[in-house]
Amino acid sequence: MLTLILTFVVGITCSGMKPSTAEYYQKCITDAGAELVILDRYAQDAEMAEKLMEGIDALIVPGKTAKDTAKRNDFDKRMIKVALRDGKPVLGICKGHQCINSFFKGKTVKLKEYYPDSDVCHKKLIKQEDGTKYNVTLNSQCHSINIEEGSVLSSCLGGVTE
C-alpha cells in the first residue's frame, strides 16, 4: 500500500520580522498542520514573484513596521497578484489587509473617522518633553465588524447572523 503525505505550504512575506514574531507564526502554522515558508527576499519583478510562489499553497501578508518601504509594499503586491492569479488564498494581517485593499484600489480610512466615539485604540502617540514622538502599542479591545450578506466572507461563515 502506498501512503501519500501532502503538506500544505503557507508562504509569508516579511523582511526584518522580529525572530519572536517569526517563531510565533511558525508555531501557529505548524500547529494547524501546515508548513511555513518565510519569504524574506524581495521579488524585484513579476518573474521573481512567480518563482517565490512556486510550491506555496497560500500566502500571508503580515503587518509592517514604520521602517518598511515602498519596496516592501511593491513586493507584497507582486506576491498578492501571483497568488490570486493562481487561485491561492491570501490572508492579510494588520497592515497586510490594508495592502490587499490597496491592491484592489480600495480606500482605507481611520476607524475614528467613522466611529469617533469608539474606544478601540491600537496605538497611542506619546510626545516627550523634548518634543520626541513615538507610538506605543496598546492591548486593544475587540470591536465588531459588519459582514455583507452574500459576500465571500459571509459564505465562508455560513451566512450572516445577528
Side-chain angles (χ1 to χ4, degrees), residues 123-159:
K123 294 186 182 222
K124 183 175 183 179
L125 185 64
I126 304 294
K127 186 175 180 180
Q128 295 180 317
E129 288 181 19
D130 66 359
T132 306
K133 298 178 187 175
Y134 62 95
N135 280 317
V136 175
T137 301
L138 305 173
N139 292 329
S140 61
Q141 300 172 10
C142 295
H143 56 87
S144 62
I145 61 170
N146 297 320
I147 301 171
E148 185 177 325
E149 186 67 48
S151 67
V152 174
L153 181 56
S154 170
S155 66
C156 290
L157 297 173

Side-chain angles (χ1 to χ4, degrees), residues 15-85:
S15 177
M17 183 182 284
K18 292 179 186 177
S20 61
T21 304
E23 287 171 14
Y24 180 72
Y25 280 114
Q26 184 76 44
K27 180 185 180 332
C28 292
I29 295 299
T30 55
D31 284 354
E35 178 184 333
L36 182 67
V37 174
I38 296 177
L39 305 167
D40 57 358
R41 297 182 306 152
Y42 287 123
Q44 303 297 328
D45 54 34
E47 184 179 334
M48 189 173 185
E50 288 180 21
K51 278 200 143 332
L52 288 173
M53 282 301 294
E54 287 177 7
I56 291 176
D57 302 305
L59 180 67
I60 296 175
V61 183
K64 302 173 186 177
T65 67
K67 295 178 185 177
D68 286 321
T69 62
K71 184 177 174 182
R72 166 72 193 274
N73 290 331
D74 291 344
F75 166 59
D76 285 349
K77 287 180 183 177
R78 283 187 193 100
M79 299 304 288
I80 292 166
K81 182 176 184 177
V82 172
L84 293 175
R85 181 201 68 203

